[in-house]
Amino acid sequence: MPDRRATPASPIGRPAARQETLDRISEGSLYTETEASFQAPERRADLIFAYNQTPPDQSSRREALLRRIFASVGERPLLNTPFSAAFGSRTYIGDDFYGNANISFVDDVDIRIGDGVMIAPNVTLTTTGHPIHPSLREDFRRFSLPIVLEDRVWIGANAVILPGVRIGYGSVVGAGAVVSRDIPPMVVAVGTPARVLRPITEADLEERGGLRH
């Protein structure tokens, strides 16, 4: 007969240990893969795989899957395949979202995307980074800080949005930019690291597009 006596839970599995890890995550402090392993059921890997395999003409099924993958999804979402997400369940998407192919949502903590946001191909939104010193990177030790894209933001192709960044209303992030600091509303930001190139003004109503100086 198997021994059915209760065995002590591992420290990682105890509610107090879990809460301590959650507190450190919310503070932006370091934590390890093992410490955060209890969060695994919140990952939506199977649903993401199903979405990426669903034909484009099955729009109703695709939207239904998006609503199961993400924490919330507004009206009229459009997300091209493929895409990836660390969890999916930590990303919040507003109305009229357009995401092109190969977006990576590294949502170990919240990514919040407003209304009317457009994201070009091959963009990475990563809430997570790792320590510089290699001795601190054992067990995939990391820190996580939330990302916010306010309404009407446009992120250009191959851009990277790093942990803790907030991009203000209506701003444009140029192709290939690496955004490591907050971007104010209604500006164009370009470069590595990204810097504000110029404001968006009424003159832009006359422009076809591009990053005029």
Side-chain angles (χ1 to χ4, degrees):
M1 293 287 292
D3 186 350
R4 298 184 182 276
R5 291 175 297 178
T7 56
S10 71
I12 298 302
R14 293 173 184 163
R18 292 185 178 195
Q19 187 58 54
E20 192 272 338
T21 298
L22 291 172
D23 290 343
R24 282 192 287 118
I25 292 172
S26 67
E27 294 165 359
S29 299
L30 294 176
Y31 63 98
T32 68
E33 177 68 19
T34 298
E35 289 170 333
S37 61
F38 66 90
Q39 297 180 316
E42 299 177 46
R43 297 183 186 271
R44 301 292 184 257
D46 289 348
L47 293 172
I48 293 167
F49 179 83
Y51 183 86
N52 285 331
Q53 303 300 313
T54 301
D57 61 352
Q58 296 185 16
S59 57
S60 295
R61 171 171 166 74
R62 286 164 68 90
E63 183 169 336
L65 283 167
L66 285 183
R67 296 188 184 283
R68 294 176 64 192
I69 291 166
F70 293 119
S72 65
V73 179
E75 298 301 315
R76 299 170 296 278
L78 181 57
L79 177 57
N80 289 345
T81 55
F83 83 95
S84 64
F87 282 83
S89 60
R90 275 74 180 284
T91 294
Y92 300 76
I93 295 174
D95 295 340
D96 299 306
F97 171 75
Y98 175 70
N100 215 320
N102 295 313
I103 298 175
S104 295
F105 301 92
V106 185
D107 57 346
D108 293 311
V109 296
D110 290 357
I111 296 175
R112 295 187 176 269
I113 298 173
D115 297 339
V117 170
M118 299 191 303
I119 302 181
N122 304 311
V123 167
T124 297
L125 306 169
T126 180
T127 65
T128 291
H130 299 276
I132 297 298
H133 199 287
S135 67
L136 292 177
R137 295 200 296 270
E138 61 184 4
D139 196 11
F140 307 107
R141 187 175 279 110
R142 56 191 181 265
F143 65 90
S144 300
L145 297 167
I147 288 171
V148 177
L149 308 184
E150 295 184 6
D151 296 349
R152 302 290 179 180
V153 163
W154 171 25
I155 308 296
N158 298 294
V160 179
I161 314 301
L162 293 177
V165 164
R166 185 183 194 99
I167 299 178
Y169 172 89
S171 285
V172 175
V173 173
V178 176
V179 186
S180 58
R181 296 183 180 180
D182 290 355
I183 301 297
M186 293 295 287
V187 299
V188 175
V190 299
T192 303
R195 61 181 178 82
V196 174
L197 176 67
R198 64 172 180 84
I200 297 170
T201 69
E202 295 296 309
D204 289 296
L205 293 171
E206 308 297 326
E207 295 285 330
R208 176 183 62 82
L211 303 180
R212 64 171 180 80
H213 292 267

